[in-house]
Amino acid sequence: SFYFFPNVTEVMKGMGFSSYDDFRKTALKETGVSFCTRLHFGKELPGEVNRYVRFAYSGIDVPEIEEGLGTLKKFIEG
């Protein structure tokens, strides 16, 4: 499997999200793009301030990855 684990702290702040779950669910509803959040891999640590999401893209063709990321970009910039 291949994964991409970007820091989305500023994206979430800029869009007015403080909750991973709200960000994830809204992104899925608006774009059809699904991803896991940092919290899917364990509880938040004391003092943890950065926010991360994980995209898994094994078995997906490059054009589909480009389409999904483009759709997500429009959602973020929208």
Side-chain angles (χ1 to χ4, degrees):
S1 293
F2 295 95
Y3 304 102
F4 180 52
F5 199 62
N7 182 329
V8 295
T9 306
E10 294 303 316
V11 168
M12 287 179 61
K13 283 182 188 175
M15 295 181 76
F17 290 102
S18 59
S19 161
Y20 269 127
D21 210 38
D22 290 344
F23 177 59
R24 178 184 62 81
K25 286 179 180 180
T26 303
L28 178 60
K29 180 180 176 186
E30 297 294 323
T31 69
V33 175
S34 178
F35 51 83
C36 295
T37 71
R38 152 68 183 87
L39 299 180
H40 285 96
F41 303 97
K43 66 180 181 176
E44 198 166 324
L45 301 173
E48 188 173 321
V49 295
N50 288 313
R51 303 289 181 239
Y52 294 88
V53 297
R54 186 179 89 159
F55 297 96
Y57 57 93
S58 62
I60 301 173
D61 293 330
V62 171
E64 291 172 312
I65 295 169
E66 291 172 340
E67 178 184 356
L69 290 177
T71 302
L72 193 59
K73 181 180 178 184
K74 288 177 187 174
F75 166 69
I76 290 168
E77 292 176 346

